[in-house]
Amino acid sequence: MFTKFIKEDTIILERLLTQLLGGDNMNKISNIEMINFFYNAMPVIEQLFDEDVSMGITDTEKYVATRYCKELELSAKEGDKIPAGGAIAEVIRTGNAAIKVVPESVYGVVMKSYAIPIKEDNKIVGVFAVAKSLAKKNEVTTITKNLTESLSQISAGINEISTGVQDLAGMNEKLLGETKVANEKAQNTDEIVNFIQSISSQTNLLGLNASIEAARAGDAGKGFSVVAQEIRKLSNSSNESIKKIDDVIKHISLAIGSINNNLSKSNDVSQNQSAALEEIAASISELNVTAKKLEELADRL
């Protein structure tokens, strides 16, 4: 089995060498041996690429052979003069291989050209060129550019949101401190209320004692009895007002306590959101770096 594979490989290799070196069926397009060599090598060279490419062979003045793929039809035909501005013209001018992005004005389509000199006796007799379409590169470049712009916009938006969240957290922190002070002051009013209640009780007791003394005085104490009744009314009225004030203060204290708790929760949420936004911003920054690398890779296509 192994021997069979070797034989088959040898036969294929012999056929390939025969094709490359000319053999009996060599189709001559030129009197120059190396140009004929590249012409017959075109089908084999085409198989070396993993994508569609177009190829051309020239002498030092004109095209002598072309092999174009459907995706990259060039305007140059066999017999056409070599146009200026392309990689082939540069190879003939410099004598060195050239890789060049050729504008649409040269061959009617934008492409990337790889050209090498064909030499005989150390003299340039022609050029072999391979052209690759830039459609995929341009598509990748466009997608990358759009991605980069979108990431920049998202990054700017997240930075703005992050700034807002941080400002909100700062305001919450300030309000939290103020509500704590207000809550402490509201609790301190209990002492004032208790003091006023004590005065009210003493006033009520004073009015009661005055009423007793006025009753003992008989007719002489009638005027004082009226005063004593007013004192007791004032005491009762003060006592009712104090109860209402106490209820209001307790409600205010409860409300302040609730605000304080909600601000604490809001502050925690703001801090968590700020941390999450920083992580998102860092991830977007990494994506932006990746997008730029992708753009650099696209330039090499």
Side-chain angles (χ1 to χ4, degrees):
M1 183 65 72
F2 181 71
T3 305
K4 180 181 178 182
F5 286 150
I6 292 178
K7 285 184 177 181
E8 290 179 355
D9 289 344
T10 303
I11 292 171
I12 293 172
L13 181 61
E14 287 176 353
R15 288 176 181 175
L16 177 61
L17 289 173
T18 300
Q19 184 180 20
L20 291 177
L21 296 176
D24 296 331
N25 298 321
M26 184 172 182
N27 183 9
K28 288 193 174 183
I29 60 168
S30 170
N31 293 325
I32 300 173
E33 182 180 351
M34 288 303 297
I35 290 180
N36 286 321
F37 173 84
F38 275 96
Y39 174 76
N40 285 278
M42 271 186 173
V44 180
I45 295 172
E46 188 177 35
Q47 295 177 17
L48 298 177
F49 293 90
D50 58 354
E51 54 187 281
D52 293 327
V53 294
S54 292
M55 292 179 285
I57 299 174
T58 73
D59 55 23
T60 56
E61 296 179 354
K62 65 183 182 302
Y63 272 87
V64 295
T66 58
R67 189 181 182 94
Y68 297 153
C69 63
K70 293 180 180 179
E71 287 73 18
L72 190 60
E73 289 279 352
L74 306 182
S75 59
K77 307 299 180 184
E78 295 175 11
D80 289 350
K81 289 185 177 181
I82 299 169
I88 294 174
E90 185 174 334
V91 170
I92 292 174
R93 179 175 58 83
T94 64
N96 300 318
I99 300 174
K100 188 175 183 178
V101 175
V102 182
E104 184 178 358
S105 59
V106 179
Y107 290 104
V109 62
V110 179
M111 65 172 183
K112 192 169 187 177
S113 180
Y114 304 79
I116 60 173
I118 299 174
K119 295 183 178 181
E120 278 191 2
D121 299 327
N122 206 30
K123 179 183 177 182
I124 293 179
V125 293
V127 177
F128 176 74
V130 176
K132 184 170 66 172
S133 172
L134 294 178
K136 292 180 180 179
K137 172 192 176 296
N138 293 336
E139 184 178 356
V140 172
T141 301
T142 301
I143 293 172
T144 304
K145 183 179 179 181
N146 293 336
L147 176 62
T148 302
E149 291 177 354
S150 297
L151 287 173
S152 297
Q153 292 175 359
I154 293 171
S155 181
I158 286 178
N159 288 335
E160 186 175 348
I161 293 171
S162 180
T163 301
V165 169
Q166 290 175 356
D167 292 342
L168 178 61
M171 288 187 289
N172 283 343
E173 193 73 31
K174 185 177 180 181
L175 287 173
L176 191 59
E178 291 177 354
T179 55
K180 285 181 179 179
V181 172
N183 196 30
E184 290 173 359
K185 289 183 177 180
Q187 291 175 356
N188 290 337
T189 57
D190 290 343
E191 297 178 3
I192 299 172
V193 170
N194 291 334
F195 178 72
I196 295 173
Q197 284 178 337
S198 176
I199 294 174
S200 176
S201 298
Q202 291 176 9
T203 303
N204 186 46
L205 182 59
L206 178 61
L208 179 60
N209 291 332
S211 296
I212 293 172
E213 292 300 326
R216 286 179 182 176
D219 292 338
K222 285 182 180 180
F224 189 67
S225 176
V226 174
V227 175
Q229 288 176 2
E230 292 300 323
I231 290 174
R232 292 187 67 186
K233 286 180 182 180
L234 177 61
S235 174
N236 292 332
S237 177
S238 298
N239 193 40
E240 290 176 1
S241 298
I242 288 169
K243 287 181 179 179
K244 291 180 181 180
I245 292 171
D246 188 41
D247 289 340
V248 171
I249 290 174
K250 284 181 179 178
H251 280 97
I252 292 173
S253 182
L254 290 173
I256 291 173
S258 177
I259 292 171
N260 192 37
N261 290 332
N262 289 330
L263 283 173
S264 295
K265 292 178 181 178
S266 176
N267 193 46
D268 291 340
V269 171
S270 296
Q271 295 294 342
N272 291 334
Q273 286 180 341
S274 181
L277 286 171
E278 286 180 1
E279 291 180 2
I280 294 172
S283 298
I284 289 176
S285 180
E286 291 179 3
L287 284 174
N288 204 19
V289 172
T290 302
K292 288 181 180 178
K293 289 182 179 178
L294 183 60
E295 189 174 3
E296 291 174 0
L297 290 173
D299 290 336
R300 299 175 187 174
L301 293 176

